[in-house]
Structures are given as structure tokens and as C-alpha cells.
Amino acid sequence: MTCFSDALSGILGWTSIATWVVVYSPQIYENFSLKSGEGLSITFVVIWLVGDLCNLIGASIAGLLPTAIILAGYYSFCDTTLLIQIYYYRWLNTGTLARPEGCPDGDIGEATPLLTSGNDAQDSEKERSLKRHVLEYVGMVLCLVVAGMVAWAISEKVQGVDERPRPEEIVEWKSQLMGYSSAMLYFGSRIPQIAKNLNTKCRGLSPGLFIFAIMGNLTYALSICASSMETDHLIANASWLAGSTTTILLDTIVLGQFIYYRGERRVESRVEE
């Protein structure tokens, strides 16, 4: 039973890593395509970055699973990349997408709509059918699961069965404080993005960012539980479990916004025709 739980935890952990390696890619590419990062809430990204830094420090102090430390460091790098894109494209465009037509200089804010009505036709043309989107993401999810299994198999072969002592888990106030701080930051970071979507109607935002975030958080939480259900283990990882599971709920709300506003934009397109 122990071998099975270790194998399952390892596969889920590597699948989580594989997912988080690509999770930011859809949004980074979306920003690159639009030459704008205005679909993202800056507050969302900044709070996410602070949460990731807390996660990195806390995981290192607590001596958690290597996946936790690797992911936290990578998250921080990608958060920084998104922030650089937002400000770089604002500087590059000097007020085109960053400042919608009719808005005076200096009035850019989180409540400012991303695109004007003149861009609705182009935005509509770029939309693919919902069925095609679903098939694409299902295919990518399956590829990530396979990648996680392959990565786990390789790690097993390299490390060997007798060379995998479980890292000592330290339950002390410093790591727990950092862990719970990151959990609250992760939860709170989504709220500004949800609010911004009410104005931008999710334009300039990639659904892939949130689909893969849900998958990454889910597999990460399951890898912790699969590793052990002992009380000490769960207590040591409680804050990281809370951070992963609560953000899944809010990310699901964001996906609901995508579906709702996609239908609304289609209705508006028909009315304009």
C-alpha cells in the first residue's frame, strides 16, 4: 500500500509540475498576440507574486516535498514575466490598448474596459467554437498527465527504490505563518481579476491560465494527500492544501465568466449584424 501511495503521489506531483510549467504560457502568448496585458488585473498578479514568494520561503523552511519548492520558485518567475509584459506593452503602445479611445491620459485603472467597440468584430472573428476549445484543452490535459507519468518513471529509475528517504517535515510557526499567508493571498488575488472581468468581459484573458491553474492545484493537493493521510503530515501541509483548494473555487468562477461573456458577445455580434 505504501509503494502504491508513493507512486500515486509521485505521478500526481510530477503532473502538477508539468501543468505549472505550461500554465502561464497561454496568457503570455495572449499578451504577445494582442501586444497588451490589459486583460489581467495588476493587483491580481502582484498579490499572486507575493503569495508565491511566501509559499517559496515557507516550503523551504518546512522541508516540504521538492515539488512544492520547485513550483513556488517557478511561479514567482512567471508572475514577474506577466508584470513585465503589462508594463512593457503599456510603454510600447503609449496609450493605444492601455488607454481606450476617449479616455483622458492618466485615467487608466482596473475598471477601464480593455477594448473599444471597434475591436469587437476582430475579437469575434478570433473566437473558435466551444467544442473545438474543449477538445483542445482535453487533449492538452491528457498530454500533461502522460508527461507526469513519464517524468515520474524517469525519476524512479534515476533515484532507485532505496534512495528516496522522505524529507523530514517540520511543523513550526515560521513555515506555518508563511504557508497560511500565501493561502490567503492566493484566495484574495482572484477577487480583483473577477471584478475586472465585469468590465473587460474577459477580453485579453486566456482561459488556459485558469484551466491549467485548476489542474495544477488539484493534482498538487492530491499528491500531498496520496503521499500520506497521517495527521502530522496533513498538519504540516494544511496551509498549502488550503491555498490550493480555495483557489480552485475562484478559478472556477472565472471560467464561468468566460462562458457567460462568450455567449453575451455572440448575442451582441448578431445584433450588430
Side-chain angles (χ1 to χ4, degrees), residues 168-272:
E168 182 182 357
E169 291 175 323
I170 307 168
V171 181
E172 47 84 41
W173 71 270
K174 290 181 181 179
S175 62
Q176 293 302 309
L177 177 62
M178 299 303 292
Y180 281 107
S181 296
S182 66
M184 290 187 290
L185 288 166
Y186 288 147
F187 183 84
S189 67
R190 267 57 174 183
I191 297 175
Q193 186 62 57
I194 291 173
K196 185 178 180 70
N197 293 343
L198 298 177
N199 293 285
T200 63
K201 299 185 178 181
C202 297
R203 291 185 176 92
L205 201 62
S206 171
L209 173 65
F210 298 92
I211 291 174
F212 292 141
I214 290 173
M215 180 180 175
N217 280 318
L218 181 61
T219 51
Y220 173 57
L222 290 176
S223 72
I224 293 175
C225 295
S227 178
S228 174
M229 289 298 290
E230 295 180 1
T231 303
D232 291 343
H233 175 73
L234 294 178
I235 291 176
N237 290 275
S239 58
W240 286 270
L241 285 170
S244 296
T245 54
T246 54
T247 53
I248 289 175
L249 173 62
L250 294 184
D251 286 341
T252 302
I253 293 176
V254 175
L255 290 182
Q257 289 182 308
F258 272 104
I259 296 172
Y260 174 78
Y261 287 124
R262 182 180 185 276
E264 186 175 282
R265 288 196 298 269
R266 292 181 68 180
V267 171
E268 291 176 354
S269 179
R270 291 195 191 100
V271 170
E272 289 177 1

Side-chain angles (χ1 to χ4, degrees), residues 8 15-16 41 51 55 61 68-69 86 134 153 155 166 189 226 230 236:
L8 182 59
T15 300
S16 180
S41 165
N55 191 9
I61 294 174
I69 300 173
I86 292 172
V134 170
S155 68
R166 187 187 297 273
S189 67
E230 295 180 1

